[in-house]
Amino acid sequence: MRLIFLGPPGVGKGTQAALLSEQYQIPHIATGDILRAAMANKTPVGLEAKSYIDAGKLVPDDVIINIVRERLKESDTKSGYILDGFPRTIKQAEALAKTLEQSGEKIDRVLYFELAEEELVKRIAGRRSCPACQKIYHTIFNPPPQEGICTCGTALIQRKDDRPETVKERLTVYRTETAPLIQYYKEQGLLSQIDADSRVDEVTRRVQDAVFQKSS
Ligand code: AP5
């Protein structure tokens, strides 16, 4: 099963992708996580990406397309995957389509998560992430058992790009560059709309319904 999770920053794509990845035993490929790991390791890609991410801009298409192409060659993707945060532009979507065509594969479903902007801002403001295992928490909606500490024992951090001024820019970039993908995938008959304005477990149920309807 090959899925794409599409939606604005903070809507809960990463939270849901992690749950589904565990349930279906398919990899969760999050381009944001890959870039943050590259930044932490100070690789050439990480150093290039840093200025874009810190400013709330998109990393150039060519850079991200190469990263995903290489990742999809790995053996764990053979039975499927969840792409979280990719594609984010029409150019990225077209590059993905070409890559899949070459390997005779196709995307099964695109899940588009929807939430009002004021709720997105609340979710982002309270987000805390684990730099070691990437687990995501929220200070109010999904707090860790021990304040400030992940269940893996690592101190939680607040992402630098979750500062209010950067969030505003990320939302603008989403509206102009990523939102056109909603229509793009709707026209291909691949889109399922998910109302993300509920508790995590209820949204998970909606995600499973959308995926199950497709695969049944
Ligand atoms: P990326 O890491 O992909 O960020 P994003 O798409 O902006 O998404 P977020 O991680 O902010 O949110 P999410 O939807 O995953 O929500 P989450 O589950 O964490 O990208 C970061 C940057 O990298 C980009 O700005 C760009 O620079 C670069 N980049 C990445 N991919 C790129 C690409 N393809 N092309 C170019 N550049 C790229 O949840 C948010 C919070 O809400 C959490 O605290 C969570 O606990 C809480 N929460 C989740 N669900 C619920 C719920 N149902 N109820 C209450 N709280 C909830």
Side-chain angles (χ1 to χ4, degrees), residues 55-70:
K57 308 269 186 210
L58 292 184
V59 171
D61 284 332
D62 294 346
V63 174
I64 207 85
I65 288 166
N66 274 334
I67 289 175
V68 174
R69 258 195 207 131
E70 289 307 309

Side-chain angles (χ1 to χ4, degrees), residues 7-16 30-33 35-36 49 52-54 56-61 64 68 84-89 92 123-124 126-128 136-139 141-142 159 161-162 170 196-201 203:
V11 73
K13 304 180 296 295
T15 300
Q16 295 298 331
T31 42
D33 287 346
L35 291 170
R36 280 184 289 277
Y52 295 99
I53 293 181
D54 287 352
K57 308 269 186 210
L58 292 184
V59 171
D61 284 332
I64 207 85
V68 174
D84 165 14
F86 180 93
R88 245 175 162 103
T89 63
Q92 291 179 16
R123 287 188 185 180
I124 293 174
R127 172 168 44 201
R128 299 292 180 271
I136 307 162
Y137 298 90
H138 192 281
T139 50
F141 306 135
N142 180 27
R159 276 167 46 180
D161 62 341
D162 279 353
R170 284 165 63 199
D197 192 9
S198 291
R199 289 167 29 155
V200 171
D201 54 355
V203 178

Side-chain angles (χ1 to χ4, degrees), residues 118-161:
E118 59 187 84
E119 293 301 319
L120 295 173
V121 170
K122 276 189 217 161
R123 287 188 185 180
I124 293 174
R127 172 168 44 201
R128 299 292 180 271
S129 321
C130 176
C133 73
Q134 322 296 340
K135 201 164 173 186
I136 307 162
Y137 298 90
H138 192 281
T139 50
I140 298 164
F141 306 135
N142 180 27
Q146 191 187 346
E147 197 184 328
I149 309 288
C150 181
T151 47
C152 79
T154 308
L156 297 174
I157 55 157
Q158 182 166 28
R159 276 167 46 180
K160 206 173 162 191
D161 62 341

